[in-house]
Amino acid sequence: MKITLVTVGKIKEKYLQQAISEYEKRLSRYCKLEIIQVADEKTPEGASAALEEQIKEKEGERILAQIKEGAYVAALAIEGEMLDSVELSEKIDKLGVSGVSQIVFVIGGSLGLSQKVLKRADYKLSFSKMTFPHQLMRVILLEQIYRSYRIIHGCPYHK
C-alpha cells in the first residue's frame, strides 16, 4: 500500500525533521511512504475571517492538486472521528484488504482545511479536541501509522 501525507508548510525544526526521518525509515518495510509539502500562505496578524478563508482556499487548492483520482483521503480535522490505535490499524488494514492502493492523509496549515478539501475527504480523523502545531502532527501521525502496521503484523510495539 502507498501512504501519502499531503501537508501544508515546511518543517524547520531539526528535531521534528529527525523524528520524521526515523518514522520514514521504520515504515519503509511496511508501505511505500510519500510526504508532499505544499506552500503555506502567510497569515497577517489580526487577519479578517474573510482573509483567513481566502488563505485556506489557496492552501486547499494546492492540497487538492496533489491528490490523485481514486485515492482514499483521510483529512485530519478536529471535528473528525476519534479512533484508538487498534481502531486505526483496523481501518488501514480493511482499506488494504478492500483494494485501496493509496491512502492520503491531509494535514492542513495553521488555519485548518478548506471546505473543498473536507468535502473531497472520504474520512475525517481527529486526534483530539485540542489543537496541535501542524508540524508536530506529522510526527504524531507517522508514529500512529507505524504503530498501526506493527499491530496489523502482530509485532511487539503496541502496548
Side-chain angles (χ1 to χ4, degrees):
M1 170 159 321
K2 181 175 184 180
I3 302 284
T4 303
L5 271 59
V6 178
T7 63
V8 175
K10 291 188 173 159
I11 300 287
K12 297 173 184 88
E13 295 83 1
K14 192 171 181 84
Y15 69 96
L16 292 174
Q17 292 171 348
Q18 290 171 330
I20 289 166
S21 292
E22 177 63 25
Y23 284 110
E24 285 178 310
K25 185 174 76 176
R26 290 182 186 193
L27 280 165
S28 67
R29 67 187 111 155
Y30 298 110
C31 64
K32 184 176 187 318
L33 179 67
E34 176 183 33
I35 299 176
I36 300 170
Q37 299 181 130
V38 299
D40 58 343
E41 290 289 316
K42 300 293 178 237
T43 305
E45 198 68 35
S48 67
L51 179 57
E52 287 187 355
E53 263 322 296
Q54 287 177 349
I55 290 169
K56 284 198 295 188
E57 287 300 317
K58 282 183 186 176
E59 291 175 348
E61 288 169 15
R62 292 179 189 140
I63 290 167
L64 291 170
Q66 299 300 322
I67 299 172
K68 291 181 175 56
E69 193 68 35
Y72 183 91
V73 178
L76 272 62
I78 287 176
E79 68 273 12
E81 184 178 3
M82 283 191 235
L83 303 175
D84 65 26
S85 297
V86 172
E87 291 169 328
L88 180 61
S89 73
E90 290 168 350
K91 183 154 196 66
I92 290 171
D93 194 36
K94 283 178 189 168
L95 287 169
V97 169
S98 70
V100 170
S101 61
Q102 182 183 21
I103 302 173
V104 177
F105 289 94
V106 179
I107 302 174
S110 59
L111 298 174
L113 294 167
S114 71
Q115 284 304 308
K116 285 182 184 174
V117 172
L118 292 171
K119 282 185 182 140
R120 169 59 182 91
D122 297 292
Y123 184 74
K124 293 177 194 78
L125 175 64
S126 175
F127 276 77
S128 173
K129 290 184 180 185
M130 291 186 262
T131 302
F132 294 101
H134 56 280
Q135 298 92 339
L136 181 59
M137 272 315 299
R138 290 187 214 183
V139 176
I140 295 169
L141 175 60
L142 286 170
E143 190 281 333
Q144 284 299 302
I145 294 168
Y146 175 68
R147 184 178 296 270
S148 292
Y149 277 108
R150 298 294 288 180
I151 293 167
I152 291 165
H153 289 90
C155 299
Y157 175 78
H158 176 68
K159 303 222 181 332

